[in-house]
Amino acid sequence: MRTSHKAPGADGRKTQHGRAIAPERGITRTRQGFALEAALLLLVMFSIIILAGLSAVSTMAKTSSADYRASRASYAAEGGADDIMSQLDAAMQDGIISGQDIAQLQTPALTGYRITQTTQTTGVPISRTISSGPFAGLYSLNQPIDISVSARDSSGNKATAVLSVNAQTIPLFQFGVFYESDLEILPGAPMTFVGWVHTNGNLYLSTSSVNFQSQLTTPDS
């Protein structure tokens, strides 16, 4: 019995013992679930972007709120300092600022804030020559005063306003005449007056018999 062998044909097949054997080929397998993985990856990326955006918005909101509250506290402190200034101005009506005037200052009150204030004189009054304004040329006593007003809200936001002011007093002995209400000067006989004349009311003068060698001042007529 003879066994026949056939040479490989053009199709790459060969026979063995009368049977055709197919050559081995590479096997291609389709990866299962790739679309699902890609969708999950995109979902994670979008989630990260959204969370980052929300975090940025939250941070900006907190920062804006902190700035807003800090600004309100600053305005509250400045308002308190203005109140102290008005009290000092009223105390200056008698011409001087004393330790008793400082002690009697009332701490301002503002709803929603706790206000504290410290007001004190620094040093002793200093004599200076007034260089500008209606009383230029006169001497004044200048008392430096330091004012510190703090305002704190219920959230702990705090601001402090610090002012250094000058309480100026003009001694009356520098005036030839200093009058509170309407002043009338009609001497009759000729008169020459050397000193400064000031009245807080109206000033009535004779234009023919009186000569003033210094200034005449009045806030009225």
Side-chain angles (χ1 to χ4, degrees), residues 90-131:
M92 279 289 294
Q93 296 303 314
D94 60 357
I96 60 173
I97 287 290
S98 63
Q100 184 178 2
D101 294 329
I102 299 295
Q104 291 178 349
L105 293 174
Q106 299 294 320
T107 300
L110 183 62
T111 303
Y113 292 89
R114 183 169 64 86
I115 309 294
T116 57
Q117 65 90 16
T118 301
T119 305
Q120 59 185 3
T121 57
T122 57
V124 297
I126 302 172
S127 177
R128 295 175 181 169
T129 301
I130 301 175
S131 59

PDB file of all heavy atoms in Angstrom, residues 90-131:
ATOM      1  N   ALA A  90     -18.709 119.687  70.730  1.00  0.00           N
ATOM      2  CA  ALA A  90     -19.643 120.295  71.684  1.00  0.00           C
ATOM      3  C   ALA A  90     -18.930 120.679  72.972  1.00  0.00           C
ATOM      4  O   ALA A  90     -19.222 121.722  73.578  1.00  0.00           O
ATOM      5  CB  ALA A  90     -20.791 119.324  71.971  1.00  0.00           C
ATOM      6  N   ALA A  91     -17.983 119.856  73.411  1.00  0.00           N
ATOM      7  CA  ALA A  91     -17.239 120.165  74.639  1.00  0.00           C
ATOM      8  C   ALA A  91     -16.335 121.368  74.467  1.00  0.00           C
ATOM      9  O   ALA A  91     -15.964 122.020  75.454  1.00  0.00           O
ATOM     10  CB  ALA A  91     -16.415 118.951  75.069  1.00  0.00           C
ATOM     11  N   MET A  92     -15.980 121.711  73.209  1.00  0.00           N
ATOM     12  CA  MET A  92     -15.094 122.840  72.943  1.00  0.00           C
ATOM     13  C   MET A  92     -15.828 124.180  72.967  1.00  0.00           C
ATOM     14  O   MET A  92     -15.212 125.233  72.776  1.00  0.00           O
ATOM     15  CB  MET A  92     -14.421 122.671  71.587  1.00  0.00           C
ATOM     16  CG  MET A  92     -13.228 121.752  71.584  1.00  0.00           C
ATOM     17  SD  MET A  92     -11.809 122.474  72.424  1.00  0.00           S
ATOM     18  CE  MET A  92     -11.412 123.850  71.334  1.00  0.00           C
ATOM     19  N   GLN A  93     -17.128 124.171  73.193  1.00  0.00           N
ATOM     20  CA  GLN A  93     -17.881 125.415  73.178  1.00  0.00           C
ATOM     21  C   GLN A  93     -17.416 126.394  74.248  1.00  0.00           C
ATOM     22  O   GLN A  93     -17.536 127.611  74.092  1.00  0.00           O
ATOM     23  CB  GLN A  93     -19.380 125.132  73.335  1.00  0.00           C
ATOM     24  CG  GLN A  93     -19.994 124.340  72.191  1.00  0.00           C
ATOM     25  CD  GLN A  93     -19.792 125.024  70.849  1.00  0.00           C
ATOM     26  OE1 GLN A  93     -20.009 126.230  70.710  1.00  0.00           O
ATOM     27  NE2 GLN A  93     -19.361 124.258  69.851  1.00  0.00           N
ATOM     28  N   ASP A  94     -16.882 125.873  75.359  1.00  0.00           N
ATOM     29  CA  ASP A  94     -16.367 126.758  76.398  1.00  0.00           C
ATOM     30  C   ASP A  94     -14.899 127.119  76.167  1.00  0.00           C
ATOM     31  O   ASP A  94     -14.285 127.810  76.981  1.00  0.00           O
ATOM     32  CB  ASP A  94     -16.539 126.125  77.779  1.00  0.00           C
ATOM     33  CG  ASP A  94     -15.803 124.796  77.909  1.00  0.00           C
ATOM     34  OD1 ASP A  94     -15.219 124.345  76.910  1.00  0.00           O
ATOM     35  OD2 ASP A  94     -15.835 124.211  79.003  1.00  0.00           O
ATOM     36  N   GLY A  95     -14.319 126.650  75.057  1.00  0.00           N
ATOM     37  CA  GLY A  95     -12.984 127.066  74.687  1.00  0.00           C
ATOM     38  C   GLY A  95     -11.872 126.120  75.091  1.00  0.00           C
ATOM     39  O   GLY A  95     -10.739 126.288  74.632  1.00  0.00           O
ATOM     40  N   ILE A  96     -12.144 125.136  75.912  1.00  0.00           N
ATOM     41  CA  ILE A  96     -11.088 124.231  76.366  1.00  0.00           C
ATOM     42  C   ILE A  96     -11.596 122.795  76.370  1.00  0.00           C
ATOM     43  O   ILE A  96     -12.804 122.543  76.403  1.00  0.00           O
ATOM     44  CB  ILE A  96     -10.586 124.593  77.785  1.00  0.00           C
ATOM     45  CG1 ILE A  96     -11.754 124.516  78.789  1.00  0.00           C
ATOM     46  CG2 ILE A  96      -9.934 125.965  77.811  1.00  0.00           C
ATOM     47  CD1 ILE A  96     -11.308 124.685  80.235  1.00  0.00           C
ATOM     48  N   ILE A  97     -10.644 121.857  76.341  1.00  0.00           N
ATOM     49  CA  ILE A  97     -10.934 120.434  76.512  1.00  0.00           C
ATOM     50  C   ILE A  97     -10.241 120.000  77.798  1.00  0.00           C
ATOM     51  O   ILE A  97      -9.008 120.045  77.898  1.00  0.00           O
ATOM     52  CB  ILE A  97     -10.427 119.601  75.334  1.00  0.00           C
ATOM     53  CG1 ILE A  97     -11.302 119.836  74.099  1.00  0.00           C
ATOM     54  CG2 ILE A  97     -10.432 118.108  75.666  1.00  0.00           C
ATOM     55  CD1 ILE A  97     -12.696 119.267  74.204  1.00  0.00           C
ATOM     56  N   SER A  98     -11.024 119.595  78.757  1.00  0.00           N
ATOM     57  CA  SER A  98     -10.469 119.179  80.044  1.00  0.00           C
ATOM     58  C   SER A  98     -10.524 117.665  80.174  1.00  0.00           C
ATOM     59  O   SER A  98     -11.173 116.968  79.380  1.00  0.00           O
ATOM     60  CB  SER A  98     -11.258 119.827  81.186  1.00  0.00           C
ATOM     61  OG  SER A  98     -12.602 119.384  81.177  1.00  0.00           O
ATOM     62  N   GLY A  99      -9.852 117.164  81.206  1.00  0.00           N
ATOM     63  CA  GLY A  99      -9.912 115.731  81.475  1.00  0.00           C
ATOM     64  C   GLY A  99     -11.322 115.273  81.784  1.00  0.00           C
ATOM     65  O   GLY A  99     -11.715 114.146  81.453  1.00  0.00           O
ATOM     66  N   GLN A 100     -12.121 116.135  82.392  1.00  0.00           N
ATOM     67  CA  GLN A 100     -13.511 115.795  82.689  1.00  0.00           C
ATOM     68  C   GLN A 100     -14.319 115.648  81.399  1.00  0.00           C
ATOM     69  O   GLN A 100     -15.178 114.766  81.296  1.00  0.00           O
ATOM     70  CB  GLN A 100     -14.133 116.863  83.579  1.00  0.00           C
ATOM     71  CG  GLN A 100     -15.561 116.544  84.024  1.00  0.00           C
ATOM     72  CD  GLN A 100     -16.127 117.609  84.949  1.00  0.00           C
ATOM     73  OE1 GLN A 100     -15.470 118.616  85.228  1.00  0.00           O
ATOM     74  NE2 GLN A 100     -17.339 117.383  85.429  1.00  0.00           N
ATOM     75  N   ASP A 101     -14.048 116.523  80.416  1.00  0.00           N
ATOM     76  CA  ASP A 101     -14.733 116.399  79.128  1.00  0.00           C
ATOM     77  C   ASP A 101     -14.422 115.059  78.470  1.00  0.00           C
ATOM     78  O   ASP A 101     -15.316 114.418  77.892  1.00  0.00           O
ATOM     79  CB  ASP A 101     -14.311 117.532  78.199  1.00  0.00           C
ATOM     80  CG  ASP A 101     -14.770 118.900  78.687  1.00  0.00           C
ATOM     81  OD1 ASP A 101     -15.828 118.962  79.333  1.00  0.00           O
ATOM     82  OD2 ASP A 101     -14.057 119.883  78.422  1.00  0.00           O
ATOM     83  N   ILE A 102     -13.167 114.631  78.553  1.00  0.00           N
ATOM     84  CA  ILE A 102     -12.782 113.341  77.973  1.00  0.00           C
ATOM     85  C   ILE A 102     -13.480 112.196  78.698  1.00  0.00           C
ATOM     86  O   ILE A 102     -13.974 111.245  78.067  1.00  0.00           O
ATOM     87  CB  ILE A 102     -11.248 113.159  78.025  1.00  0.00           C
ATOM     88  CG1 ILE A 102     -10.545 114.259  77.216  1.00  0.00           C
ATOM     89  CG2 ILE A 102     -10.855 111.781  77.517  1.00  0.00           C
ATOM     90  CD1 ILE A 102     -10.824 114.233  75.745  1.00  0.00           C
ATOM     91  N   ALA A 103     -13.543 112.278  80.024  1.00  0.00           N
ATOM     92  CA  ALA A 103     -14.151 111.203  80.817  1.00  0.00           C
ATOM     93  C   ALA A 103     -15.655 111.096  80.565  1.00  0.00           C
ATOM     94  O   ALA A 103     -16.240 110.011  80.717  1.00  0.00           O
ATOM     95  CB  ALA A 103     -13.877 111.440  82.299  1.00  0.00           C
ATOM     96  N   GLN A 104     -16.295 112.184  80.173  1.00  0.00           N
ATOM     97  CA  GLN A 104     -17.742 112.187  79.978  1.00  0.00           C
ATOM     98  C   GLN A 104     -18.163 111.818  78.559  1.00  0.00           C
ATOM     99  O   GLN A 104     -19.359 111.817  78.260  1.00  0.00           O
ATOM    100  CB  GLN A 104     -18.303 113.570  80.339  1.00  0.00           C
ATOM    101  CG  GLN A 104     -18.238 113.890  81.828  1.00  0.00           C
ATOM    102  CD  GLN A 104     -18.754 115.281  82.153  1.00  0.00           C
ATOM    103  OE1 GLN A 104     -18.972 116.102  81.258  1.00  0.00           O
ATOM    104  NE2 GLN A 104     -18.960 115.551  83.432  1.00  0.00           N
ATOM    105  N   LEU A 105     -17.224 111.497  77.696  1.00  0.00           N
ATOM    106  CA  LEU A 105     -17.579 111.077  76.340  1.00  0.00           C
ATOM    107  C   LEU A 105     -18.383 109.785  76.380  1.00  0.00           C
ATOM    108  O   LEU A 105     -18.030 108.834  77.080  1.00  0.00           O
ATOM    109  CB  LEU A 105     -16.323 110.883  75.492  1.00  0.00           C
ATOM    110  CG  LEU A 105     -15.518 112.145  75.162  1.00  0.00           C
ATOM    111  CD1 LEU A 105     -14.229 111.765  74.429  1.00  0.00           C
ATOM    112  CD2 LEU A 105     -16.336 113.106  74.316  1.00  0.00           C
ATOM    113  N   GLN A 106     -19.471 109.737  75.618  1.00  0.00           N
ATOM    114  CA  GLN A 106     -20.332 108.561  75.567  1.00  0.00           C
ATOM    115  C   GLN A 106     -19.920 107.661  74.402  1.00  0.00           C
ATOM    116  O   GLN A 106     -19.766 108.128  73.267  1.00  0.00           O
ATOM    117  CB  GLN A 106     -21.792 108.988  75.400  1.00  0.00           C
ATOM    118  CG  GLN A 106     -22.325 109.845  76.531  1.00  0.00           C
ATOM    119  CD  GLN A 106     -22.394 109.087  77.846  1.00  0.00           C
ATOM    120  OE1 GLN A 106     -22.769 107.906  77.875  1.00  0.00           O
ATOM    121  NE2 GLN A 106     -22.037 109.755  78.929  1.00  0.00           N
ATOM    122  N   THR A 107     -19.738 106.365  74.700  1.00  0.00           N
ATOM    123  CA  THR A 107     -19.403 105.405  73.643  1.00  0.00           C
ATOM    124  C   THR A 107     -20.598 105.238  72.712  1.00  0.00           C
ATOM    125  O   THR A 107     -21.717 104.984  73.176  1.00  0.00           O
ATOM    126  CB  THR A 107     -19.015 104.050  74.243  1.00  0.00           C
ATOM    127  OG1 THR A 107     -17.879 104.225  75.093  1.00  0.00           O
ATOM    128  CG2 THR A 107     -18.677 103.047  73.148  1.00  0.00           C
ATOM    129  N   PRO A 108     -20.431 105.399  71.412  1.00  0.00           N
ATOM    130  CA  PRO A 108     -21.557 105.271  70.475  1.00  0.00           C
ATOM    131  C   PRO A 108     -22.171 103.874  70.526  1.00  0.00           C
ATOM    132  O   PRO A 108     -21.497 102.885  70.850  1.00  0.00           O
ATOM    133  CB  PRO A 108     -20.916 105.547  69.109  1.00  0.00           C
ATOM    134  CG  PRO A 108     -19.636 106.264  69.415  1.00  0.00           C
ATOM    135  CD  PRO A 108     -19.173 105.745  70.732  1.00  0.00           C
ATOM    136  N   ALA A 109     -23.442 103.796  70.184  1.00  0.00           N
ATOM    137  CA  ALA A 109     -24.164 102.519  70.127  1.00  0.00           C
ATOM    138  C   ALA A 109     -24.672 102.311  68.709  1.00  0.00           C
ATOM    139  O   ALA A 109     -25.206 103.231  68.085  1.00  0.00           O
ATOM    140  CB  ALA A 109     -25.322 102.508  71.114  1.00  0.00           C
ATOM    141  N   LEU A 110     -24.497 101.094  68.188  1.00  0.00           N
ATOM    142  CA  LEU A 110     -24.949 100.753  66.842  1.00  0.00           C
ATOM    143  C   LEU A 110     -25.474  99.326  66.851  1.00  0.00           C
ATOM    144  O   LEU A 110     -24.770  98.410  67.284  1.00  0.00           O
ATOM    145  CB  LEU A 110     -23.799 100.899  65.837  1.00  0.00           C
ATOM    146  CG  LEU A 110     -24.136 100.644  64.363  1.00  0.00           C
ATOM    147  CD1 LEU A 110     -25.181 101.656  63.880  1.00  0.00           C
ATOM    148  CD2 LEU A 110     -22.890 100.741  63.502  1.00  0.00           C
ATOM    149  N   THR A 111     -26.696  99.144  66.373  1.00  0.00           N
ATOM    150  CA  THR A 111     -27.324  97.824  66.373  1.00  0.00           C
ATOM    151  C   THR A 111     -26.499  96.824  65.560  1.00  0.00           C
ATOM    152  O   THR A 111     -26.124  97.095  64.423  1.00  0.00           O
ATOM    153  CB  THR A 111     -28.740  97.913  65.780  1.00  0.00           C
ATOM    154  OG1 THR A 111     -29.511  98.857  66.522  1.00  0.00           O
ATOM    155  CG2 THR A 111     -29.424  96.552  65.832  1.00  0.00           C
ATOM    156  N   GLY A 112     -26.213  95.666  66.171  1.00  0.00           N
ATOM    157  CA  GLY A 112     -25.461  94.616  65.496  1.00  0.00           C
ATOM    158  C   GLY A 112     -23.967  94.693  65.712  1.00  0.00           C
ATOM    159  O   GLY A 112     -23.238  93.815  65.250  1.00  0.00           O
ATOM    160  N   TYR A 113     -23.500  95.714  66.433  1.00  0.00           N
ATOM    161  CA  TYR A 113     -22.062  95.883  66.653  1.00  0.00           C
ATOM    162  C   TYR A 113     -21.786  96.220  68.111  1.00  0.00           C
ATOM    163  O   TYR A 113     -22.586  96.887  68.780  1.00  0.00           O
ATOM    164  CB  TYR A 113     -21.493  96.996  65.767  1.00  0.00           C
ATOM    165  CG  TYR A 113     -21.494  96.666  64.304  1.00  0.00           C
ATOM    166  CD1 TYR A 113     -22.596  96.962  63.514  1.00  0.00           C
ATOM    167  CD2 TYR A 113     -20.413  96.022  63.712  1.00  0.00           C
ATOM    168  CE1 TYR A 113     -22.607  96.651  62.164  1.00  0.00           C
ATOM    169  CE2 TYR A 113     -20.410  95.707  62.366  1.00  0.00           C
ATOM    170  CZ  TYR A 113     -21.514  96.022  61.605  1.00  0.00           C
ATOM    171  OH  TYR A 113     -21.527  95.700  60.267  1.00  0.00           O
ATOM    172  N   ARG A 114     -20.649  95.756  68.562  1.00  0.00           N
ATOM    173  CA  ARG A 114     -20.161  96.137  69.889  1.00  0.00           C
ATOM    174  C   ARG A 114     -19.071  97.172  69.690  1.00  0.00           C
ATOM    175  O   ARG A 114     -18.020  96.894  69.120  1.00  0.00           O
ATOM    176  CB  ARG A 114     -19.627  94.914  70.641  1.00  0.00           C
ATOM    177  CG  ARG A 114     -19.175  95.233  72.080  1.00  0.00           C
ATOM    178  CD  ARG A 114     -18.924  93.946  72.846  1.00  0.00           C
ATOM    179  NE  ARG A 114     -17.837  93.172  72.273  1.00  0.00           N
ATOM    180  CZ  ARG A 114     -16.555  93.357  72.586  1.00  0.00           C
ATOM    181  NH1 ARG A 114     -16.209  94.266  73.478  1.00  0.00           N
ATOM    182  NH2 ARG A 114     -15.617  92.602  72.023  1.00  0.00           N
ATOM    183  N   ILE A 115     -19.340  98.389  70.141  1.00  0.00           N
ATOM    184  CA  ILE A 115     -18.447  99.517  69.935  1.00  0.00           C
ATOM    185  C   ILE A 115     -17.640  99.779  71.208  1.00  0.00           C
ATOM    186  O   ILE A 115     -18.198  99.821  72.303  1.00  0.00           O
ATOM    187  CB  ILE A 115     -19.211 100.790  69.541  1.00  0.00           C
ATOM    188  CG1 ILE A 115     -20.152 100.521  68.370  1.00  0.00           C
ATOM    189  CG2 ILE A 115     -18.248 101.923  69.213  1.00  0.00           C
ATOM    190  CD1 ILE A 115     -19.451 100.191  67.084  1.00  0.00           C
ATOM    191  N   THR A 116     -16.339  99.938  71.050  1.00  0.00           N
ATOM    192  CA  THR A 116     -15.470 100.345  72.152  1.00  0.00           C
ATOM    193  C   THR A 116     -14.646 101.544  71.676  1.00  0.00           C
ATOM    194  O   THR A 116     -14.319 101.656  70.499  1.00  0.00           O
ATOM    195  CB  THR A 116     -14.528  99.216  72.593  1.00  0.00           C
ATOM    196  OG1 THR A 116     -13.743  98.784  71.473  1.00  0.00           O
ATOM    197  CG2 THR A 116     -15.326  98.022  73.130  1.00  0.00           C
ATOM    198  N   GLN A 117     -14.333 102.438  72.606  1.00  0.00           N
ATOM    199  CA  GLN A 117     -13.584 103.631  72.224  1.00  0.00           C
ATOM    200  C   GLN A 117     -12.607 104.030  73.320  1.00  0.00           C
ATOM    201  O   GLN A 117     -12.850 103.818  74.507  1.00  0.00           O
ATOM    202  CB  GLN A 117     -14.535 104.797  71.921  1.00  0.00           C
ATOM    203  CG  GLN A 117     -15.347 105.310  73.099  1.00  0.00           C
ATOM    204  CD  GLN A 117     -14.646 106.425  73.876  1.00  0.00           C
ATOM    205  OE1 GLN A 117     -13.686 107.026  73.375  1.00  0.00           O
ATOM    206  NE2 GLN A 117     -15.116 106.710  75.080  1.00  0.00           N
ATOM    207  N   THR A 118     -11.479 104.560  72.887  1.00  0.00           N
ATOM    208  CA  THR A 118     -10.471 105.093  73.797  1.00  0.00           C
ATOM    209  C   THR A 118     -10.072 106.473  73.283  1.00  0.00           C
ATOM    210  O   THR A 118      -9.613 106.606  72.147  1.00  0.00           O
ATOM    211  CB  THR A 118      -9.229 104.187  73.859  1.00  0.00           C
ATOM    212  OG1 THR A 118      -9.621 102.883  74.306  1.00  0.00           O
ATOM    213  CG2 THR A 118      -8.202 104.761  74.828  1.00  0.00           C
ATOM    214  N   THR A 119     -10.286 107.486  74.100  1.00  0.00           N
ATOM    215  CA  THR A 119      -9.943 108.863  73.738  1.00  0.00           C
ATOM    216  C   THR A 119      -9.084 109.453  74.841  1.00  0.00           C
ATOM    217  O   THR A 119      -9.453 109.384  76.019  1.00  0.00           O
ATOM    218  CB  THR A 119     -11.210 109.714  73.550  1.00  0.00           C
ATOM    219  OG1 THR A 119     -12.062 109.092  72.582  1.00  0.00           O
ATOM    220  CG2 THR A 119     -10.855 111.110  73.082  1.00  0.00           C
ATOM    221  N   GLN A 120      -7.952 110.005  74.469  1.00  0.00           N
ATOM    222  CA  GLN A 120      -7.051 110.569  75.471  1.00  0.00           C
ATOM    223  C   GLN A 120      -6.233 111.706  74.879  1.00  0.00           C
ATOM    224  O   GLN A 120      -5.943 111.729  73.683  1.00  0.00           O
ATOM    225  CB  GLN A 120      -6.109 109.490  76.006  1.00  0.00           C
ATOM    226  CG  GLN A 120      -5.248 108.826  74.936  1.00  0.00           C
ATOM    227  CD  GLN A 120      -4.425 107.680  75.466  1.00  0.00           C
ATOM    228  OE1 GLN A 120      -4.522 107.320  76.628  1.00  0.00           O
ATOM    229  NE2 GLN A 120      -3.578 107.119  74.612  1.00  0.00           N
ATOM    230  N   THR A 121      -5.894 112.652  75.734  1.00  0.00           N
ATOM    231  CA  THR A 121      -5.020 113.745  75.317  1.00  0.00           C
ATOM    232  C   THR A 121      -3.577 113.272  75.368  1.00  0.00           C
ATOM    233  O   THR A 121      -3.217 112.393  76.159  1.00  0.00           O
ATOM    234  CB  THR A 121      -5.192 114.957  76.239  1.00  0.00           C
ATOM    235  OG1 THR A 121      -4.916 114.565  77.598  1.00  0.00           O
ATOM    236  CG2 THR A 121      -6.619 115.486  76.177  1.00  0.00           C
ATOM    237  N   THR A 122      -2.743 113.831  74.503  1.00  0.00           N
ATOM    238  CA  THR A 122      -1.326 113.478  74.476  1.00  0.00           C
ATOM    239  C   THR A 122      -0.503 114.736  74.717  1.00  0.00           C
ATOM    240  O   THR A 122      -0.600 115.706  73.953  1.00  0.00           O
ATOM    241  CB  THR A 122      -0.940 112.853  73.126  1.00  0.00           C
ATOM    242  OG1 THR A 122      -1.269 113.766  72.061  1.00  0.00           O
ATOM    243  CG2 THR A 122      -1.699 111.559  72.895  1.00  0.00           C
ATOM    244  N   GLY A 123       0.295 114.722  75.772  1.00  0.00           N
ATOM    245  CA  GLY A 123       1.138 115.868  76.075  1.00  0.00           C
ATOM    246  C   GLY A 123       0.345 117.043  76.607  1.00  0.00           C
ATOM    247  O   GLY A 123      -0.802 116.917  77.061  1.00  0.00           O
ATOM    248  N   VAL A 124       0.950 118.209  76.547  1.00  0.00           N
ATOM    249  CA  VAL A 124       0.330 119.441  77.040  1.00  0.00           C
ATOM    250  C   VAL A 124       0.013 120.337  75.856  1.00  0.00           C
ATOM    251  O   VAL A 124       0.568 120.170  74.766  1.00  0.00           O
ATOM    252  CB  VAL A 124       1.282 120.165  78.024  1.00  0.00           C
ATOM    253  CG1 VAL A 124       1.536 119.285  79.244  1.00  0.00           C
ATOM    254  CG2 VAL A 124       2.607 120.506  77.340  1.00  0.00           C
ATOM    255  N   PRO A 125      -0.892 121.312  76.040  1.00  0.00           N
ATOM    256  CA  PRO A 125      -1.198 122.237  74.939  1.00  0.00           C
ATOM    257  C   PRO A 125       0.049 122.973  74.456  1.00  0.00           C
ATOM    258  O   PRO A 125       0.895 123.389  75.243  1.00  0.00           O
ATOM    259  CB  PRO A 125      -2.222 123.191  75.552  1.00  0.00           C
ATOM    260  CG  PRO A 125      -2.848 122.404  76.664  1.00  0.00           C
ATOM    261  CD  PRO A 125      -1.752 121.546  77.213  1.00  0.00           C
ATOM    262  N   ILE A 126       0.144 123.124  73.133  1.00  0.00           N
ATOM    263  CA  ILE A 126       1.289 123.774  72.501  1.00  0.00           C
ATOM    264  C   ILE A 126       0.839 125.104  71.903  1.00  0.00           C
ATOM    265  O   ILE A 126      -0.191 125.179  71.215  1.00  0.00           O
ATOM    266  CB  ILE A 126       1.889 122.877  71.407  1.00  0.00           C
ATOM    267  CG1 ILE A 126       2.308 121.533  71.992  1.00  0.00           C
ATOM    268  CG2 ILE A 126       3.079 123.557  70.743  1.00  0.00           C
ATOM    269  CD1 ILE A 126       2.743 120.526  70.942  1.00  0.00           C
ATOM    270  N   SER A 127       1.600 126.176  72.165  1.00  0.00           N
ATOM    271  CA  SER A 127       1.275 127.495  71.632  1.00  0.00           C
ATOM    272  C   SER A 127       1.815 127.619  70.212  1.00  0.00           C
ATOM    273  O   SER A 127       2.996 127.370  69.951  1.00  0.00           O
ATOM    274  CB  SER A 127       1.869 128.592  72.523  1.00  0.00           C
ATOM    275  OG  SER A 127       1.612 129.872  71.980  1.00  0.00           O
ATOM    276  N   ARG A 128       0.948 128.021  69.278  1.00  0.00           N
ATOM    277  CA  ARG A 128       1.335 128.201  67.890  1.00  0.00           C
ATOM    278  C   ARG A 128       0.687 129.444  67.325  1.00  0.00           C
ATOM    279  O   ARG A 128      -0.372 129.874  67.789  1.00  0.00           O
ATOM    280  CB  ARG A 128       0.926 126.985  67.045  1.00  0.00           C
ATOM    281  CG  ARG A 128       1.633 125.695  67.405  1.00  0.00           C
ATOM    282  CD  ARG A 128       1.075 124.543  66.594  1.00  0.00           C
ATOM    283  NE  ARG A 128       1.706 123.282  66.923  1.00  0.00           N
ATOM    284  CZ  ARG A 128       1.267 122.090  66.514  1.00  0.00           C
ATOM    285  NH1 ARG A 128       0.190 122.020  65.751  1.00  0.00           N
ATOM    286  NH2 ARG A 128       1.901 120.977  66.863  1.00  0.00           N
ATOM    287  N   THR A 129       1.310 129.982  66.283  1.00  0.00           N
ATOM    288  CA  THR A 129       0.731 131.122  65.571  1.00  0.00           C
ATOM    289  C   THR A 129      -0.156 130.598  64.451  1.00  0.00           C
ATOM    290  O   THR A 129       0.268 129.760  63.645  1.00  0.00           O
ATOM    291  CB  THR A 129       1.831 132.016  64.984  1.00  0.00           C
ATOM    292  OG1 THR A 129       2.661 132.492  66.040  1.00  0.00           O
ATOM    293  CG2 THR A 129       1.215 133.203  64.271  1.00  0.00           C
ATOM    294  N   ILE A 130      -1.385 131.076  64.385  1.00  0.00           N
ATOM    295  CA  ILE A 130      -2.306 130.643  63.340  1.00  0.00           C
ATOM    296  C   ILE A 130      -1.852 131.248  62.018  1.00  0.00           C
ATOM    297  O   ILE A 130      -1.688 132.463  61.896  1.00  0.00           O
ATOM    298  CB  ILE A 130      -3.738 131.081  63.682  1.00  0.00           C
ATOM    299  CG1 ILE A 130      -4.166 130.476  65.031  1.00  0.00           C
ATOM    300  CG2 ILE A 130      -4.712 130.654  62.589  1.00  0.00           C
ATOM    301  CD1 ILE A 130      -5.516 130.959  65.510  1.00  0.00           C
ATOM    302  N   SER A 131      -1.647 130.379  61.015  1.00  0.00           N
ATOM    303  CA  SER A 131      -1.078 130.832  59.742  1.00  0.00           C
ATOM    304  C   SER A 131      -2.113 131.050  58.652  1.00  0.00           C
ATOM    305  O   SER A 131      -1.808 131.662  57.622  1.00  0.00           O
ATOM    306  CB  SER A 131      -0.036 129.820  59.251  1.00  0.00           C
ATOM    307  OG  SER A 131      -0.638 128.534  59.075  1.00  0.00           O
TER     308      SER A 131
END
